[in-house]
Amino acid sequence: MNLKELAAHIAAEFQKNYGRAPRWIAAAPGRVNVIGEHTDYNDGFVLPMAIEFYTVMAADKRPDGAGIVTLRSTSQPDTATLDLAQTIKPAPPKWGNYPRGVFAGFQARGVNPGGLDVLVHSTVPLGSGLSSSAALEVCTATLIEAVTGKAIDAEEKALLAQKAEHDFAGVPCGIMDQFISALGREGHLLLLDCRTRKTELVPMSDPSVALLIINTNVKHELSGGEYAERRAQCEEAAAKLGVKSLRDVTADQLERGKAKLSEVVFRRARHVIGEIERTLHAAEGIRQSNWPTVGQFMYASHYALRDDYEVSCPELDAVVEIAEDIGYKGGVYGCRMTGGGFGGCCVALVKADAVESISKKIASDYKAKTGIEATIFSSRPAAGATIIKS
Ligand code: ADP
Ligand code: MG
């Protein structure tokens, strides 16, 4: 569904839920990180793009004039409510904490949108690493902008959304997801410096290429400590090399400091330092529409995540192997796992006119190799959050 169709869909759903038409509609996209994985907490660069899958929210003032916000979602059985007259705090149901945290952020700024009936609907798959959570937060903030008629700076909005995820959902995420959902621009990727928060739109309007997102539909349940362990190893490497973060280390410096690090910590650092460089090179390749080069950096990113950072899994590796088999001749420039790892999605850079044949081949070979059905879709770089009905 494109945005127009989604708006019509949510308006009809709102009517069914609340018995009247919505007054406001806002949307915010999910995202895929094209390259730059596990670099955000090392002060490095990431290069995400907004995808043509969105969270949309429709709202109307409450007919009774009470200062209560009712939030319903087409994907959740439980309704969330919050009282704008009280200090907003986390409360069940769980999903409601994402929008709740955003309302709290506006409350802390003295902004009161007044009582609302709200409906949420999302075409971003939930929990697949395409950041339905950031889409929900940024969409909530955009809806509040529509209701109050006051826009806030897009970066401030992204930070407010991130804070909601930290404080209300309890997820210590970086800034990438909310930044791209708020600041994405159609036909562009976003090169984001996670140290300075400086952003740069990287044009990608060549119609001959597309991004394929391949959801492995697996999520390996780990002990939960893997993310914290990787972070700690990066911090250890930086400390032993005498710098604030791995952003400050070149590949040469790492080689020279090798003796100071354990074998594992050395490999973790090698991924991060290489990935920061690859991300900058890939951005340059995209600016020049040099797709074979961009594709090579994507493969290199995957190998480092698999071998040095050890956050891949057999299913993600299977997708990348299938993509390699299809190869340049079959229209694949590059492929890599995207997101935190241990399941979730791969992203592939492909020739636009081969999207269908590549999708079919990946689906059938992945099924043959793993017994699992993949979900595959293509997207062009989409626009960031928008108010559809003001
Ligand atoms: P991801 O961001 O990768 O999709 P997360 O686990 O970070 O995965 O966020 C998913 C959670 O966000 C869901 O479990 C739910 O609580 C909330 N969420 C996202 N989209 C919606 C939605 N449309 N309706 C209700 N809750 C949603
Ligand atoms: Mg998330």
Side-chain angles (χ1 to χ4, degrees), residues 31-38 46-49 51 127-131 176-177 211-216 218 275 298 301-302 305-306 311-313 315-317 319-320 335-348 377:
R31 63 97 187 95
V32 67
N33 191 21
V34 175
I35 194 165
E37 219 64 73
H38 289 280
V46 292
L47 188 62
M49 73 169 208
I51 54 176
S128 294
L130 300 175
S131 215
M176 168 168 69
D177 303 355
L211 272 308
L212 265 193
I213 296 154
I214 305 112
N215 191 342
T216 60
V218 298
E275 186 79 355
M298 291 172 76
S301 168
H302 185 77
L305 287 160
R306 181 189 64 194
V311 291
S312 189
C313 65
E315 294 83 2
L316 290 165
D317 292 343
V319 171
V320 173
C335 184
R336 56 181 288 275
M337 57 158 275
T338 181
F342 306 112
C345 295
C346 281
V347 58
F377 37 87

Side-chain angles (χ1 to χ4, degrees), residues 41 47 73 76 120 210 214 234 236 257 267 272 291 313 326 341 355 358 364 385:
Y41 51 85
L47 188 62
S73 167
Q76 306 288 325
V120 187
I214 305 112
C234 291
E236 181 185 333
R267 283 192 288 115
V272 171
W291 308 122
C313 65
I326 299 170
V355 160
I358 293 168
S364 63

Side-chain angles (χ1 to χ4, degrees), residues 73 75-76 95 98 120 122 125-133 136 165:
S73 167
S75 72
Q76 306 288 325
W95 78 267
Y98 298 86
V120 187
S122 188
L126 273 58
S128 294
L130 300 175
S131 215
S132 70
S133 59
L136 177 54
E165 184 135 354

